[in-house]
Amino acid sequence: MTNEGGPGFRAWRPGREVAVGATLATLRRGGGDPAYRLQPDGVVWRATRTPDGAALLRLEPRPADGEVLAHAWGPGAGWVLDGVPELLGAADDPTGFAPRPEHPRLVAAWRARPGWRVPRTRAVFEALAAACLEQRVTGKEAFAAWRGLVLRFGEVAPGPAGDAGTFAAGMRVPPAAADWAAIPSWEWLRVGVEEARRRVVVLAAASAGRLEQTLDLTGEEAAKALRTVPGVGVWTAAEVRQRAHGDADAFSWADYHVAKNVSWALTGQVLDDAGCAPLVECYRGHRYRVQRLLELDGASRPRRGPRMTLPGHLPVVR
């Protein structure tokens, strides 16, 4: 990582292909996410809250030059610039991951995406707050709630986000933990978040400092620590580990769709969690890698009948 243009600029030369958009796609909470924007030319903007304060990060892939240019604004600029390599998967080690020949869809998905890696944001509470909003509802409902709350209670991101006419204009930094906890109950209801999900976010906010310390734990240890927050179950902990911790093994168990889609892509059979678990056991250490590669490849089991109006993620405690 070089620092060629002062504290707000760095160029990362990873020595490998980096798929910036695909790697960071899971951090985007719907097309209207106020904290994430994707330009048509592949430049990614991300607003986040760091231990040093708010930050706005701009990532410009330069594949011909073998580098990613990173610009950052705000008191947290140094923190996010230091984290660019991990954000783009430098800490993710795919060594030992070898899709089996009997899983040709996975073989093809991995071969087609050499630049994809598991991201690591290091922003645990931020990932947890977003995941809690996705419990027991469809993605559309969850993204609308995230958008509404961040727009209303987040702050305008630093730098060009405050300038009309720029691509980043109006971007927002998600609220701090204390600010999430202070949101009045009726504001949650206004965006469709019932008391059960609100309570989980508020309880997590009270433990935000401790939750950030889970970055130093191994995958299962981190999962156990995250689940000490009432209302955080297997699914929610996995969603956080996939994003904040960069955990390549954090498979989304207890999701209504994931096990069914993964098992169908690998075998042509639609199986539940119990049936899918032994199927992906051979990829232990990389089970989320399997899940995400197949998601990026568009693997989805055939649907019969009308689409559900039920939530996309059903378990009561996730």
Side-chain angles (χ1 to χ4, degrees):
M1 181 72 94
T2 61
N3 190 340
E4 300 174 359
F9 171 82
R10 295 184 194 176
W12 181 44
R13 300 184 178 93
R16 64 169 176 86
E17 182 178 342
V18 176
V20 174
T23 296
L24 300 184
T26 55
L27 306 183
R28 188 183 194 183
R29 307 288 178 170
D33 187 347
Y36 190 107
R37 287 190 186 163
L38 174 64
Q39 291 185 191
D41 61 359
V43 170
V44 172
W45 296 79
R46 181 169 184 266
T48 187
R49 190 167 298 280
T50 80
D52 300 325
L56 177 65
L57 176 66
R58 180 185 186 273
L59 295 171
E60 179 182 350
R62 292 277 188 91
D65 300 324
E67 64 184 9
V68 177
L69 304 185
H71 292 80
W73 297 263
W79 191 90
V80 293
L81 288 172
D82 288 343
V84 165
E86 288 191 2
L87 182 66
L88 295 177
D92 176 32
D93 184 4
T95 302
F97 177 65
R100 296 191 171 192
E102 61 266 31
H103 300 150
R105 183 74 181 263
L106 181 60
V107 171
W110 178 232
R111 184 179 298 134
R113 294 165 181 82
W116 176 81
R117 293 292 186 273
V118 180
R120 188 172 192 263
T121 69
R122 302 176 296 154
V124 179
F125 174 76
E126 189 171 284
L128 182 55
C132 289
L133 295 180
E134 297 182 8
Q135 293 179 342
R136 300 183 299 276
V137 297
T138 64
K140 182 178 180 180
E141 292 170 304
F143 295 157
W146 170 261
R147 181 172 62 250
L149 291 170
V150 173
L151 281 173
R152 185 161 178 79
F153 298 100
E155 63 185 273
V156 176
D163 300 329
T166 67
F167 195 88
M171 288 187 68
R172 297 270 176 166
V173 178
D179 295 327
W180 278 105
I183 297 174
S185 59
W186 60 86
E187 294 287 356
W188 296 85
L189 293 173
R190 187 197 300 269
V191 296
V193 179
E194 81 293 341
E195 175 60 20
R197 284 184 290 154
R198 185 197 74 87
R199 188 185 310 116
V200 182
V201 178
V202 171
L203 290 171
S207 303
R210 176 176 60 82
L211 294 174
E212 300 300 333
Q213 296 173 9
T214 63
L215 290 170
D216 298 325
L217 303 177
T218 63
E220 291 305 318
E221 290 175 335
K224 183 177 180 180
L226 291 167
R227 292 179 63 187
T228 61
V229 177
V232 173
V234 172
W235 181 88
T236 306
E239 293 291 303
V240 175
R241 290 160 57 204
Q242 293 163 9
R243 294 166 175 81
H245 299 75
D247 189 342
D249 199 44
F251 193 91
S252 296
W253 301 115
D255 187 281
Y256 186 80
H257 300 288
V258 170
K260 296 174 183 177
N261 288 340
V262 168
S263 58
W264 176 81
L266 296 181
T267 69
Q269 294 181 288
V270 177
L271 305 173
D272 59 10
D273 280 10
C276 187
L279 181 62
V280 298
E281 179 60 30
C282 62
Y283 297 116
R284 179 173 285 273
H286 302 277
R287 289 175 294 180
Y288 172 62
R289 192 184 312 281
V290 171
Q291 171 190 329
R292 185 60 185 153
L293 284 169
L294 292 173
E295 289 172 348
L296 289 169
D297 203 51
S300 181
R301 67 194 186 282
R303 306 297 179 88
R304 295 178 175 83
R307 283 191 174 271
M308 295 171 49
T309 57
L310 294 174
H313 308 292
L314 294 179
V316 174
V317 176
R318 306 180 57 224

